[in-house]
Amino acid sequence: MQESADKIIDLILKSLRNEISDAEKKELDRWLEESPAYRQVYDELTNEHSLKSKLKLFGQVDSDAWWKKINEKIESPPEQAVVRPLPKKRWRYAVAVVIVMLAAAGVYYFFFAKEKPGIVKDGGQVIDSVTKIGPGGNYAVLVLADGKEIALKPADTGTIAESGNTRAMKLGDGQLAFENINPDNTAPAAANNLILKTPNGGQYSLMLPDGSKVWLNAASSIRYPGAFTAKERRVSITGEVYFDVKTFSSPFIVSILDKEGKEAGNVQVTGTKFNINAYSEESSIKATLVEGKVKVKSVVAGNSEVSRQIAPGQQAVINSTNSPGKIDVADHIDVNKILSWQRGIIAFDAAPFDVLMRQIGRWYDVQISYTNGIPNKILTGDVQRTDSLPAVLRNLQYVSGIRFRVEGRKVIVLGE
Amino acid sequence: MANNRDFDLISEFRKANPRAFKVVYDAYFPVLCYFARGLLYGSPESEEIAADSIIKLFKRSHDFESLQNIRAFLFITTRNACFNFLTYSVRENRKINRLDPSPVEDPEKLALSEMIRAEVMREIYKEIEELPEACREVFQLLYLEGKNANEVAKQLNISIVAVWEQRQEAIRLLRTILLKKGLLSILLAYGAFAFVA
């Protein structure tokens, strides 16, 4: 693989240095046409952001430490120099997707290779729409008390809306904050309910009127008043939301709404950090505590209330299908894993295939369907949320053997 | 002259001279790690695989006649180990009976593209390493670590003007256009800010 490689390396370097002749440029272009993989490499090398992050990676190897290890191994019997299979626990690293900003076009070429079974290759219009499927970002819609909707984008800062006495500000760090325009005005701002909602592929963070912070995952919402009353601080949510609640004497109550907008349960705290995962398409609502103390209550029409107190590292699971309203408490929860979405990772630990695909669907805003039923596979691994959809599917295919087809905004799971 | 030096290096390498080993190691280990990383999706096992390739190379050092041979051996050994690793770990953990190491892309092309990527990165990295020391330090902090001129001056205990001069020198010496441009834009932004303030 070397002769042609050296020629190509030379051409790419010349191109990066603006030292390439027209004839050489043509030669390089011809090579790039040969494989999507080549194109992807070239695109990444000619992208400043990507080049910079790769240069950092390149310099990261601890050469001195490895030099020592290698010398130790040379003196030991040969069988020890053989690569051993992964211990089970480290398996997930093999799945972990490289942290690379992939140019969408590059990925598309890479993924939709010529003549590969199970990969769409017909019709330019299909492929065109596919190239647009990148990861989600910091997007949300703010619904004001008067019903006015404002689309929030990552770039917006400063005043984004004014309604009644309230001015909505977007701070530099992406936090939303509200202030009273006229502090002398005693009109009850509390009556002004606001709703912040994220679409599929969106996420957003927000500072509530009491200084508490919330992070919304994709396809989630929070409804809260422009100002809290002295008696209680009540918000209601759908989807997945992480809370970092300021400690005050008035209780902070999170109502968890089901898909009809009715309260399915609530979480009551004074000040603490916790995550609620309450997507209505999942079979249960999960409240995971990071710090402090919370009381989780389920609300089921006709049933008496059930409530449980949980401690840090515990997770309350409110059953919403089999025995509605029942609360189970799980111990020793890997809280970091639960909160990984906040750090830009979709982490799945022994997740059923369809649960993982729903997460992917929400973040990449694609519909998932199955031609041969849901594969009976349990997966463990991480996906970087900055990766493009094709890159993610490519890796999933790698580790699970399951093939996918992408058509427009649909991902069709084909089976093995 | 280069050939002579290569020849000396090779003859010493064939005699298993540790210093010759170290020269070969320094030249290829980082690029092999990077290559393996590319094929293994960033798995931390990639460094272990690269190290094993180096060990295999050293154990049969008398077989090699040129640096080209050494390089080819290292890349091919590492490539094969990566594909084995992927296949084996998937089988072990997922009980899949049959697995194409790369079902999506032709594995040969994938390996070739990753090798080319790694080698180009090595050349660019070399460009930076060959900058004079002061210049390289300024580049490292200013560009790769994203510090501003003030912070760089403080950390290296030099004046801001010296930072500017070294940045200018780096722009002159570097050949990769993206790096030149990147450096230029960083300090221009800072300059504008300083001017306004």
Side-chain angles (χ1 to χ4, degrees), chain A residues 9-20:
Chain A
I9 291 162
D10 183 54
L11 291 178
I12 292 177
L13 282 167
K14 280 184 173 160
S15 163
L16 291 175
R17 292 165 176 167
N18 270 7
E19 293 163 5
I20 195 165

Side-chain angles (χ1 to χ4, degrees), chain A residues 341-381:
Chain A
W341 63 269
Q342 248 198 311
R343 300 190 306 271
I345 294 166
I346 300 174
F348 40 103
D349 197 355
F353 202 84
D354 56 325
V355 172
L356 172 61
M357 290 311 292
R358 282 200 292 275
Q359 286 194 49
I360 288 174
R362 285 193 287 264
W363 183 243
Y364 292 92
D365 192 17
V366 287
Q367 283 185 315
I368 312 289
S369 63
Y370 299 86
T371 52
N372 292 313
I374 297 167
N376 184 21
K377 282 186 190 295
I378 303 291
L379 296 170
T380 296

Side-chain angles (χ1 to χ4, degrees), chain A residues 263-279:
Chain A
E263 188 175 38
N266 64 58
V267 173
Q268 189 168 335
V269 304
T270 46
T272 158
K273 295 178 182 168
F274 58 99
N275 188 71
I276 299 178
N277 182 323
Y279 287 110

Side-chain angles (χ1 to χ4, degrees), chain B residues 65-99:
Chain B
E65 278 156 16
S66 72
L67 277 179
Q68 279 302 317
N69 288 159
I70 289 175
R71 177 165 164 253
F73 174 85
L74 285 174
F75 273 106
I76 291 168
T77 307
T78 304
R79 178 199 64 180
N80 292 344
C82 286
F83 284 161
N84 285 343
F85 174 84
L86 282 176
T87 310
Y88 192 49
S89 52
V90 169
R91 269 191 199 148
E92 279 297 287
N93 291 276
R94 295 286 164 255
K95 298 188 171 58
I96 292 166
N97 302 323
R98 173 200 54 80
L99 188 101

Side-chain angles (χ1 to χ4, degrees), chain B residues 79-134:
Chain B
R79 178 199 64 180
N80 292 344
C82 286
F83 284 161
N84 285 343
F85 174 84
L86 282 176
T87 310
Y88 192 49
S89 52
V90 169
R91 269 191 199 148
E92 279 297 287
N93 291 276
R94 295 286 164 255
K95 298 188 171 58
I96 292 166
N97 302 323
R98 173 200 54 80
L99 188 101
D100 176 351
S102 176
V104 177
E105 177 61 76
D106 174 356
E108 285 303 319
K109 284 189 172 161
L110 187 69
L112 181 64
S113 65
E114 286 302 333
M115 179 209 170
I116 287 170
R117 184 211 300 275
E119 286 285 66
V120 171
M121 288 303 296
R122 177 165 73 139
E123 290 296 327
I124 299 175
Y125 202 76
K126 209 163 83 183
E127 209 177 287
I128 296 165
E129 285 196 311
E130 283 171 358
L131 292 173
E133 194 183 341

Side-chain angles (χ1 to χ4, degrees), chain A residues 182-353:
Chain A
N182 181 3
D184 300 332
N185 192 324
T186 50
N192 291 347
N193 265 315
L194 296 154
I195 301 169
L196 183 77
K197 54 186 183 188
T198 50
N200 277 337
Q203 60 179 11
Y204 222 80
S205 60
L206 162 78
M207 196 181 290
L208 296 176
D210 65 342
S212 297
K213 287 184 192 166
V214 295
W215 283 259
L216 272 67
N217 201 346
S220 303
S221 74
I222 182 167
R223 183 193 186 93
Y224 61 100
F228 288 120
T229 62
K231 206 173 97 231
E232 62 174 30
R233 296 174 280 167
R234 187 180 279 271
V235 302
S236 51
I237 65 148
T238 62
E240 181 160 28
V241 183
Y242 174 72
F243 287 88
D244 181 353
V245 175
K246 275 258 160 99
T247 308
F248 289 113
S249 55
S250 63
F252 190 98
I253 302 166
V254 184
S255 290
I256 302 159
L257 305 181
D258 63 16
K259 57 175 174 286
E260 278 103 41
K262 284 190 303 223
E263 188 175 38
N266 64 58
V267 173
Q268 189 168 335
V269 304
T270 46
T272 158
K273 295 178 182 168
F274 58 99
N275 188 71
I276 299 178
N277 182 323
Y279 287 110
S280 57
E281 62 270 31
E282 304 298 340
S283 61
S284 59
I285 294 167
K286 297 187 180 109
T288 312
L289 186 58
V290 181
E291 264 178 42
K293 223 196 286 182
V294 307
K295 195 161 91 181
V296 180
K297 207 191 277 183
S298 66
V299 179
V300 179
N303 286 17
S304 55
E305 283 181 354
V306 179
S307 78
R308 296 287 295 268
Q309 187 123 321
I310 56 170
Q314 286 188 322
Q315 182 178 69
V317 182
I318 305 178
N319 221 304
S320 46
T321 47
N322 297 340
S323 43
K326 183 165 175 279
I327 301 179
D328 295 314
V329 176
D331 289 319
H332 309 300
I333 294 296
D334 184 348
V335 172
N336 269 328
K337 202 122 210 173
I338 302 287
L339 299 183
S340 63
W341 63 269
Q342 248 198 311
R343 300 190 306 271
I345 294 166
I346 300 174
F348 40 103
D349 197 355
F353 202 84

